[in-house]
Amino acid sequence: MGRSERDELEETAVPAVLIRRSDLPVPLAHPARSFFGGLPKLPPQFEWPTAEVTANVTPETVAITFVAQIDLAEVPGSGWSPLPKRGTLYFFCSSVFVGEGRPPCRVLYSPTDGSAYPDRAPPPNLMPLAGSDGDAQVRWLDPALDFHSKVEFKYPLSFQLIRDFYFREDDVGGELMIEELCKALGPGEPKESDLLQFRTAAEYEKDEDWPFNWLLINYVVRSVLSHVLRDLKLGYYGEPLADEAIVELNRLHARAIGWLERCRALTPMDDVDPDTKMAFRSWWLDTVQTYKKMDGRVRTYTSALAADLGDAINHTIRCMAAHDADACDDAPLSYVANLERQNRWKTPTAEDGKRRHFDTALHQMLGYGSGPQDATEEHLEDILLLQIQGELAFLDWHSDIGCVLHFWIDRDALARLDFSQVVATLECD
């Protein structure tokens, strides 16, 4: 009796480690030994890695983004894993990403555990997330003022052993993958639309939950200012701005500066009184209407203002969680729950399994990995040290859910503990 396709795929099964992050970030002082983002607990003899990156036009040598720290004693794999049984891996990578199929990276290894040293302070030349003037840089975050414009939020990690299968675009392989993931993660939650993604200004007008503190007001004002200043500087795609548009933009600029000055006089986490809340909402909606009238005469569309408001709400909640574990109690529950839900395992479909691409970002060590292009094929003989899938829980530098970042190492180099040979690949669909 001949073997079925399922039997053949079962023979390709190899062990892998599924990585799950916390739903919300934690303060830097959290004792996690394995985590995404935050600051690395580097041994004193290690320098923060640098590399030459090009975010806009001019190459520059900068300290590259810290991505993850993994304490190998927390990773399951006794008896079969090619990784060291103990010690800590530190992952660094350029976060320009746009145009970087092989982003500059470094992986460092220490035989000590992940709590042996204090947090390493970020160096002065640390690159902004997405790079200076990079296409994916968040324009309303100021690298001179905002810690999390250069340092990603800290998310503690947990690990689960799974089996991985070698296939691409295959129904039976998808069935096996779904069975394995559901065994580890459960059946999943029903899929729900993201509350803030693609939300319109009209929908925000009906939502009375914002603004909920002065930090959010600060970010929203800065987002508006970033558009106004860009429109004044660049004009309309090679054409000079009409006089009426210049007048309107200058008016928007003056009113935004007024709000920014009020923000500077107040504590960011303070609540907003009802009168101020009403006045701010009125100002933002007036700004949207002004841009609507200028449609076709300036670069900014009203949809960009609404998208920035949603990003600012999420970023503010992350900042609150990173400030204090209980701070999110002061944010609207619907916003907090929406952000948490982005990390929850969603009930997969057959098409998800076939494509190895799920609504929930699946981070991984070892196994075959997944991606929309050819990296997993090209590195089939290498070891997958880490796979991070793009997800909306991060800001623009890694929020493309169709992107996958891999760190690969040659088997012989790993046996020698020579992590200088690690290469990174970035693929987007």
Side-chain angles (χ1 to χ4, degrees), residues 115-370:
S115 60
Y117 303 101
D119 290 348
R120 175 69 62 87
N125 64 335
L126 180 61
M127 66 182 298
L129 298 175
S132 300
D133 296 321
D135 288 348
Q137 188 180 21
V138 181
R139 304 296 178 185
W140 43 268
L141 289 179
D142 185 346
L145 299 174
D146 299 298
F147 182 77
H148 289 295
S149 69
K150 292 185 172 184
V151 176
E152 187 49 81
F153 291 98
K154 182 177 182 178
Y155 293 90
L157 302 178
S158 60
F159 305 92
Q160 290 177 275
L161 184 63
I162 63 169
R163 295 188 306 158
D164 197 1
F165 304 92
Y166 182 64
F167 70 92
R168 295 192 69 172
E169 295 281 335
D170 186 90
D171 291 328
V172 177
E175 291 175 7
L176 286 168
M177 200 78 243
I178 288 174
E179 288 174 12
E180 196 68 22
L181 291 171
C182 288
K183 188 188 303 179
L185 302 174
E189 298 181 0
K191 296 180 182 180
E192 292 185 45
S193 298
D194 189 306
L195 180 66
L196 302 181
Q197 192 183 21
F198 308 127
R199 208 179 204 193
T200 65
E203 289 171 313
Y204 278 116
E205 185 174 9
K206 298 174 184 176
D207 179 359
E208 297 183 357
D209 281 340
W210 66 276
F212 47 86
N213 63 22
W214 281 92
L215 183 61
L216 176 57
I217 289 179
N218 187 311
Y219 287 145
V220 174
V221 172
R222 282 203 255 161
S223 73
V224 169
L225 275 173
S226 70
H227 288 292
V228 169
L229 293 173
R230 177 174 176 267
D231 290 332
L232 283 169
K233 178 181 179 180
L234 299 180
Y236 185 65
Y237 300 105
E239 298 179 10
L241 292 175
D243 291 342
E244 297 87 347
I246 294 174
V247 170
E248 290 293 350
L249 288 170
N250 283 325
R251 181 180 70 86
L252 293 178
H253 182 269
R255 294 188 66 189
I257 292 295
W259 277 106
L260 204 56
E261 290 173 351
R262 292 182 66 178
C263 290
R264 289 169 180 155
L266 294 159
T267 303
M269 298 298 178
D270 281 354
D271 292 338
V272 182
D273 66 78
D275 290 342
T276 301
K277 182 175 182 178
M278 184 179 298
F280 182 77
R281 291 168 59 87
S282 177
W283 167 77
W284 186 82
L285 291 166
D286 175 72
T287 299
V288 171
Q289 287 304 313
T290 300
Y291 262 105
K292 189 174 182 179
K293 293 175 183 176
M294 293 190 293
D295 185 32
R297 294 185 289 164
V298 296
R299 291 172 179 248
T300 299
Y301 295 97
T302 57
S303 58
L305 301 177
D308 281 352
L309 177 52
D311 286 341
I313 288 171
N314 283 336
H315 189 70
T316 299
I317 292 172
R318 294 188 196 103
C319 287
M320 295 170 73
H323 175 73
D324 183 272
D326 298 323
C328 285
D329 292 344
D330 297 325
L333 178 60
S334 62
Y335 296 155
V336 176
N338 181 66
L339 194 57
E340 291 175 325
R341 191 166 57 243
Q342 293 175 19
N343 186 51
R344 305 285 172 79
W345 170 239
K346 313 298 190 305
T347 303
T349 66
E351 185 64 21
D352 293 338
K354 174 182 176 179
R355 297 175 55 237
R356 295 181 66 117
H357 182 76
F358 301 88
D359 280 4
T360 305
L362 296 180
H363 314 300
Q364 179 177 331
M365 299 179 76
L366 306 177
Y368 299 108
S370 60

